[in-house]
DNA sequence: GTGGTCTAGACCACA
DNA sequence: GTGGTCTAGACCACA
């Protein structure tokens, strides 16, 4: 399901959050999909269950998961997280773009890169 | 010269690096400008000189400062850091833009924001 | 694991970097080998953990180690450092050879020494 | 006579030693040439006379200069420093070559570089 | 005075 | 337990 990169400097729980978030945003995990238990995912990744729990908690807080006590964690409907995610990404993107401008990158360069990244994507 | 944000969760030395880097990249500190000594800047920010030292070290490593032992630290010529900075910013920008696309932001939205950010800037 | 030379005028952290680098380059420490913690190596060498930390940081920056926060530091795969190391060594070697030439050493003398150093080594 | 590089990390007195040594070894300063006074050279380089004094002391110790009290410092005859210099350079060269070998550089690579460095030099 | 190194000791996040 | 950060304080080389 996920592969951790031990050479990544971010804490493990954050990597887990990131990977799972991508799977959900990318549509690989559908609404109401039952997530593996913290224990079993911990086993699979050779990671302490506490670490998985922490990741699940954060995902729940950001609206990606919902928990039914005694039953487990499930993927939340897109409406729960879609706007928050888009909004946060846009804010981050604006900050980075601002910094890019200050570092001397031009509008033309960035537009060109943008075209490359969106190539073949229907908006 | 700079103001620390104690709500920022990043370590102090990293904030100092970031602020000073912005001042140098933004042109507020010119080539060969003598930086305050680690002791005096430490006093000014109510921070241990070692912490400032660490920031200066990192800035030197990234080409923003050069140090003459026993004399002080000075702002390096733009040629030392310009290209590295642009390159690193572009790489970061591409990653964030990629993530923005995955979060559902469209080319049109990003181009519109781009225009806003570069408004009135001659490329 | 290593022995410090207190007559050496280089700073301790640099000696530690040097010794560990040799162990890694020489193959004595294999990929993914778990390095001793900064605390335990500090104890062993009667040196402050901060000093070891500094050495580990530098080794990480040069690609010899990778760190998993809360787990420890590990030897990075050879691919991470091999090329950089060879390149830096070659540059240093060229400078020293240039100086040797200026000091009056001849091509013949140096080739002879070279043969001695590479004696019995299959290229 | 000499130009200092303030971005060089070595202490200034060491740079001065190095530059003057090169001038002497390279034959630009002949035997018994009267060196400028520490004061005047200090003025010329915008450097404290103490720093120059320190450089002169070291050069005297290595046999490059001799001092006649009240008269000044003079370039020593080649016989005073030639062998020591060659010997020290050869030792350093052997160490660096040994390290180059350990880093994976081959005899063939080094011989090729050697030919480049000695190109057109009569031994 | 200035940067560079080091120690002892503390507290934190993470696992 | 492990690395990461920070402080207070010390001593050194260099200028």
């Amino acid at each position: 399901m996920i592969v951790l990169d031990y050479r990544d400097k971010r804490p493990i729980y954050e990597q887990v959050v990131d990977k799972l978030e991508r799977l959900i945003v990318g549509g690989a995990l559908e609404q109401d999909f039952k997530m593996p238990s913290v224990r079993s995912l911990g086993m699979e990744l050779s990671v302490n269950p506490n670490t998985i729990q922490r990741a699940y908690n954060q995902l729940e807080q950001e609206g990606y998961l919902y928990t039914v006590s005694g039953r487990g964690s499930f993927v939340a409907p897109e409406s729960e997280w879609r706007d928050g995610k888009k909004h946060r990404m846009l804010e981050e993107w604006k900050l980075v773009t601002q910094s890019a401008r200050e570092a001397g990158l031009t509008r033309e360069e960035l537009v060109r890169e943008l075209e490359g990244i969106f190539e073949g994507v229907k908006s």
Side-chain angles (χ1 to χ4, degrees), chain A:
Chain A
M1 200 167 184
I2 342 182
V3 178
L4 294 178
D5 174 9
Y6 282 114
R7 313 253 310 284
D8 196 320
K9 308 160 76 81
R10 292 176 304 172
I12 290 176
Y13 86 92
E14 208 175 304
Q15 279 190 61
V16 174
V17 166
D18 191 64
K19 302 276 188 189
L20 292 178
E21 196 188 298
R22 282 173 188 277
L23 288 176
I24 295 172
V25 171
L29 300 180
E30 298 192 346
Q31 178 175 347
D32 299 323
F33 174 82
K34 182 177 181 315
M35 299 294 292
S37 72
V38 293
R39 260 207 197 159
S40 68
L41 186 53
M43 292 272 291
E44 200 185 314
L45 302 179
S46 306
V47 148
N48 195 302
N50 292 335
T51 304
I52 305 297
Q53 186 61 60
R54 185 163 183 172
Y56 277 20
N57 285 345
Q58 186 166 330
L59 286 164
E60 189 171 354
Q61 203 179 1
E62 291 172 349
Y64 293 103
L65 298 183
Y66 65 92
T67 295
V68 184
S69 66
R71 299 278 319 279
S73 294
F74 301 84
V75 175
E78 198 175 338
S79 58
E80 289 298 310
W81 45 263
R82 187 176 217 172
D83 292 350
K85 172 74 175 171
K86 272 183 74 167
H87 181 260
R88 268 178 282 136
M89 277 310 310
L90 182 56
E91 289 311 306
E92 189 186 347
W93 187 85
K94 281 157 76 173
L95 280 177
V96 171
T97 303
Q98 182 68 32
S99 298
R101 181 172 82 74
E102 284 160 8
L105 287 156
T106 65
R107 179 186 359 209
E108 283 70 27
E109 283 176 285
L110 296 184
V111 169
R112 195 180 334 121
E113 294 291 341
L114 205 59
E115 300 300 334
I117 288 165
F118 277 90
E119 187 164 85
V121 176
K122 67 159 190 236
S123 294

